[in-house]
Each structure stands twice: as C-alpha cells, then as structure tokens.
Amino acid sequence: MKIMKFGGTSVGRPERMVEISHLITQEDEPKIIVMSALSGTTNSLVEISDALSKSDRIGASEKIEKLKKHYEDFVTALYKSPEGKAAGAHILADHFEFLDVILKISYSESLNKDILAQGELLSTKIFSAYLNEIGVKHAWLPALEFMTIDAAGEPQVGSIRVKLAQVLRDHSDTRLFVTQGFICRNARGEVDNLKRGGSDYTASLIAAAVGASVCEIWTDIDGMHNNDPRIVQGTTPVRKLSFNEAAELAYFGAKILHPASIWPAQHYNFPVRLLNTMEPHAPGTVISSEASEEGVKAIAAKDAIIAVKIKSSRMLLAYGFLRKIFDVFEKYRTSIDMVTTSEVAVSLTIDSDTHLMEIVKELEMYGNITIDHGQTIICVVGNKIALAPNILIKIFDSLNDIPVRMVSFGGSRDNVSILVPGEYKEQALRQLHSGVFN
Ligand code: ADP
Ligand code: ASP
Ligand code: MG
C-alpha cells in the first residue's frame, strides 16, 4: 500500500485534478489518496468563520457567494458528461446549503471547525465524482470515521489503525481510495482538524496506520529546498534528508511539510518522498532513516516567536531554579523552543501567546521578566553541522550587521539556531544563504 497526498496547489485547478487522475492510476500498487482543499479554500473558510464570529453576516454571506462562484466555475470546467455535471451540482448544493445554514445559527468554536472541514470534503467529493466520470474504480473514505485525536489533541496511531481497518474492510475488492486530509474528530466526537497544513500529517498518520511502503507528499515544488524559495533566490532541492534533519526543518518553518508529519515516519520507519505534481519525473526529496551526507543541508525560519527573559540575582548557585521556571511552562502546556542561560538570567522562546499573561504572572515570583514579541528563529540544519569546518565563523560573518538576540549551539550536532528580530528575517536568510552555501 502506498499513500499519495496532494496539497491545495496540486488540486487548485481542474486540469490539475485531471493530471492527478493519471498519476494515481499509473502502477498497480494499492493506494490511499489524501487530498487537501483546493488552494485558497481554507483561507476563505477562515475568513467566513471570522466574519461570523464578529456577527458580520453580510460579510460572511458575500464571501460564501464568491467561494460558490469559484466552485461552480471549477466543476463546469472539470466534468464533461451530463452525469458528471449532475454529480458536481449535487455536491455543491450539499455543501453550500450547509454554508447558508450557518449564517442563521449562532457562532461557536465547534461551528468554526465544521466550517473549516468543508474544504477537504468538497475537494475529495469533486475528485471522486471525476474518477467516476472517467471510470476509475475507487472508494471515497470519510476521514471523520477513522482520523481521531485524543483529549490532549494528539492522534493515536493504534486507534486510527483499528478504525481505518474497519472502514477498509467494507471495500475489500477496492485498490484505490480517496480521503480527506486535515479533518478529524476530537475526543468529544466533534469535527476538528490537525491545524493548518495538516493534510501532510494525515497522510503520514495513515501511512503509519496501514504500514505503507512510502508516504508521497505531492506539492508544487521539486522537494525540500535548501532555503525558503519565497524569500531567497537560487535555492536548490536537497535530494536526501534524514528524519532528524527533515523534522528540524519542518518544525522550524519549512512550509513544505507540516511539523508533526515526520514522527510517524520515523517511529514506524517508512520513507517520505516530497514530489512535484507539475513535474512528476523530477527526483524530489527522499526522507528516510538513512544518515545523509554530513554538512549543512538547509536553512529555515519560524516567525512570530516570543522571547522571555527571566533575570534573577537569586539564580546565583541556585539548583532547581530552571526546574521551577520550566514547571510554569509545563503547567500552561506551552512548549519551549530555544533556551540560553547565564549566571543571572535565562532567556527562552515560545511560539504561542495563549497563556502568556498567566505564565508571566507566575514567573514574576522568580525575577524580572522581559518579553520580546515578533522574533524569528533561523535554523541552520545538517547532519553533524556542528562539526563542519568553520561553520560558526561562516554563520556569524553572515549575520555581522544583524542584531542577534539568542544563539543555540550544541543541543544536537545537527542544528544551529539563531533568534533575530522579525524585521531582519529576510536579510538574515539571504546573507546566511550566500555565506553558508557559497
Ligand atoms: P501544499 O498546498 O502542497 O501543501 P504548501 O504551500 O503547504 O503546499 O507547501 C509548498 C510550498 O512551501 C512551496 O510552494 C514553497 O513556496 C514553500 N516552501 C517554504 N520553504 C520551503 C523549502 N525549504 N523547500 C520547499 N518549499 C518551501
Ligand atoms: N486545507 C488545510 C490548510 O489549508 C490543510 C492543508 O492544506 O494541508 O491548512
Ligand atoms: Mg501544505
């Protein structure tokens, strides 16, 4: 069994869906196709939900109309037969009726999740109807019946495996399945999701659950590049990455992969391939347990980081001080990315301000607190880069004119992280690119 995940850009236009139908019918191996919403749809649904949360029903209604028009044009171009056109009209009627109903009911967090789920339901139903039109035998699988998260918001592969096996048993003569990325059910049985970009995570969880031979992530670029191609010119694809390298890059901002999508692959040991839907024969990137070549592989950046500094004279020779600080973050389920210490102060970074007020209030018991918002972590990743000749000289020479706020080196041999004010992000990425790779 192999898993093929197609992202929003890969299904954003009718002709792309047609191309995907060729890609997925090429070899005989059984496959589960995981599909995102059409590009731009989830953003539109977020806007609709935001408008409703502010009781702006006119705004929400206008946005729904615009989205509906987009989908009407899409299905008109996709289907050729009267049966296909009728199936498309039926799917749109169903989901846009739901979006019309929500204009009349009161807003809640659970309604928000229902709204966001429409994108993947629409794209997979539209694609499934297209496969029917061209006579490709397959089954549409409802992800809400098997993709679940527990009370802590974490998916458990064991329980996904049991539920998915049950769903697959109903189609024992089928070798091709189409299902939704991103959406799931939470411990209360409500519709939920795996956070933005979560279809990659769905694909990798399904690959773990069925013991897939490979998880293919099809997107709009030829694999993981060695820097953010939206910011830096002349980036090039990295052909091989280890799980650790890929996990660091995804976690520290490489948008091509959802940050959580590597752990299932690492734990259940299947390769992840990043491939380009627009150029299916390009080699892309293979992420596997094999150690890759030593040296710098890539640079990534994670935005909207908050730096917290706790300055305390009492820290002098005080054992147990760091535990007390970390306990506060644990209590508020806020994970820490970077830590640096000196004799009189600790600086650390977090990426969520959900409980910042409570955290600061409790930390004030231990010293003076300074908060810097809008920071960016720049992460230089590669197998044993800490041992690469002159790597620190190259990094610091490149950042010569940038006010570096924190540096983390030695946590692992595969990563050097630098915290800079957000406004220096682009400059830092570009200068590091030429300093480290040229
Ligand atoms: P999809 O819709 O297929 O999930 P995404 O937009 O989530 O696609 O991810 C692909 C995009 O990630 C690329 O178009 C590229 O602009 C961006 N990206 C950011 N950093 C990297 C990187 N290091 N390598 C490749 N792509 C990257
Ligand atoms: N459609 C969702 C999003 O835009 C999930 C995904 O594309 O991976 O975030
Ligand atoms: Mg994505």
Side-chain angles (χ1 to χ4, degrees):
M1 179 80 97
K2 103 173 177 182
I3 313 302
M4 299 173 84
K5 177 259 172 180
F6 293 92
T9 42
S10 303
V11 289
R13 286 203 300 229
E15 57 273 27
R16 294 263 148 79
M17 275 203 182
V18 175
E19 281 160 28
I20 291 174
S21 73
H22 299 144
L23 280 175
I24 64 173
T25 45
Q26 267 169 13
E27 326 131 341
D28 202 31
E29 191 176 359
K31 298 176 195 81
I32 300 182
I33 311 306
V34 175
M35 204 167 256
S36 296
L38 310 192
S39 57
T41 296
T42 311
N43 287 345
S44 301
L45 294 168
V46 167
E47 287 173 16
I48 291 165
S49 187
D50 278 354
L52 276 179
S53 73
K54 295 174 190 133
S55 303
D56 174 13
R57 279 169 212 285
I58 297 173
S61 163
E62 282 168 6
K63 289 181 204 308
I64 293 170
E65 271 316 302
K66 199 166 150 213
L67 193 63
K68 190 172 172 187
K69 173 83 180 59
H70 178 69
Y71 274 83
E72 282 166 354
D73 293 346
F74 192 98
V75 298
T76 304
L78 181 65
Y79 302 116
K80 305 288 176 247
S81 68
E83 295 77 17
K85 288 187 189 299
H90 186 71
I91 295 164
L92 297 201
D94 231 23
H95 288 275
F96 282 94
E97 188 181 299
F98 169 79
L99 289 175
D100 280 338
V101 170
I102 59 160
L103 290 172
K104 299 176 192 96
I105 52 183
S106 51
Y107 181 83
S108 66
E109 199 34 49
S110 138
L111 183 67
N112 168 45
K113 302 282 174 60
D114 277 318
I115 297 171
L116 298 196
Q118 300 309 305
E120 273 69 13
L121 291 169
L122 274 164
S123 65
T124 53
K125 286 185 186 175
I126 290 171
F127 184 59
S128 174
Y130 176 68
L131 292 181
N132 286 336
E133 181 179 58
I134 59 171
V136 174
K137 182 170 162 31
H138 72 287
W140 182 89
L141 301 182
L144 296 176
E145 280 184 21
F146 61 83
M147 190 52 67
T148 48
I149 50 176
D150 63 17
E154 297 295 334
Q156 300 298 340
V157 171
S159 80
I160 295 167
R161 176 184 299 131
V162 172
K163 291 175 196 139
L164 180 55
Q166 203 157 357
V167 174
L168 289 174
R169 258 197 302 276
D170 295 339
H171 304 280
S172 52
D173 59 340
T174 308
R175 297 172 66 79
L176 179 66
F177 302 91
V178 176
T179 194
Q180 306 82 54
F182 182 56
I183 62 175
C184 62
R185 238 176 240 290
N186 63 28
R188 293 186 296 278
E190 299 158 346
V191 174
D192 211 317
N193 61 59
L194 300 174
K195 311 257 160 59
R196 295 304 307 271
S199 298
D200 303 330
Y201 196 18
T202 306
S204 141
L205 287 165
I206 293 180
V210 300
S213 58
V214 58
C215 177
E216 295 181 350
I217 307 282
W218 289 82
T219 182
D220 62 346
I221 189 163
D222 174 22
M224 176 78 79
H225 278 221
N226 60 357
N227 206 328
D228 192 327
R230 295 165 300 178
I231 296 170
V232 179
Q233 277 187 353
T235 62
T236 49
V238 184
R239 296 300 174 206
K240 272 174 83 175
L241 286 171
S242 69
F243 287 132
N244 286 345
E245 290 168 329
E248 298 261 23
L249 288 166
Y251 185 73
F252 287 107
K255 186 184 176 242
I256 187 169
L257 262 188
H258 183 282
S261 51
I262 293 301
W263 77 255
Q266 191 156 23
H267 193 83
Y268 293 88
N269 200 20
F270 54 85
V272 175
R273 295 191 67 193
L274 307 179
L275 294 158
N276 189 351
T277 315
M278 319 326 158
E279 238 184 280
H281 298 294
T285 299
V286 182
I287 303 165
S288 72
S289 57
E290 264 176 58
S292 62
E293 269 173 48
E294 291 180 15
V296 182
K297 293 291 159 44
I299 301 169
K302 186 173 174 186
D303 296 321
I305 299 295
I306 303 157
V308 181
K309 182 158 86 186
I310 305 116
K311 192 163 183 233
S312 168
S313 49
R314 276 175 292 161
M315 197 178 153
L316 197 70
L317 300 180
Y319 54 82
F321 182 81
L322 283 179
R323 183 183 53 74
K324 289 181 198 147
I325 303 279
F326 289 156
D327 277 352
V328 176
F329 288 89
E330 190 185 339
K331 179 173 168 190
Y332 292 101
R333 302 177 63 90
T334 300
S335 65
I336 296 169
D337 285 334
M338 280 175 81
V339 186
T340 54
T341 64
S342 81
E343 189 48 43
V344 292
V346 183
S347 275
L348 46 82
T349 69
I350 56 177
D351 64 4
S352 155
D353 62 1
T354 312
H355 298 291
L356 188 60
M357 300 253 280
E358 296 102 305
I359 289 171
V360 169
K361 202 152 181 272
E362 294 208 19
L363 289 177
E364 275 168 349
M365 288 202 292
Y366 305 114
N368 290 329
I369 313 299
T370 318
I371 305 289
D372 289 317
H373 288 272
Q375 306 287 303
T376 292
I377 295 177
I378 311 261
C379 185
V380 185
V381 172
N383 182 13
K384 299 194 185 137
I385 57 163
L387 309 178
N390 300 328
I391 186 65
L392 288 183
I393 296 175
K394 286 182 190 166
I395 290 176
F396 287 113
D397 270 354
S398 311
L399 298 175
N400 197 17
D401 50 350
I402 292 178
V404 171
R405 167 78 171 73
M406 280 168 73
V407 177
S408 175
F409 174 74
S412 79
R413 291 189 300 182
D414 305 337
N415 165 324
V416 181
S417 299
I418 303 119
L419 188 73
V420 300
E423 61 272 29
Y424 289 93
K425 167 185 160 178
E426 301 200 350
Q427 187 188 343
L429 284 179
R430 290 193 190 106
Q431 291 178 191
L432 273 171
H433 196 77
S434 43
V436 167
F437 292 118
N438 296 339

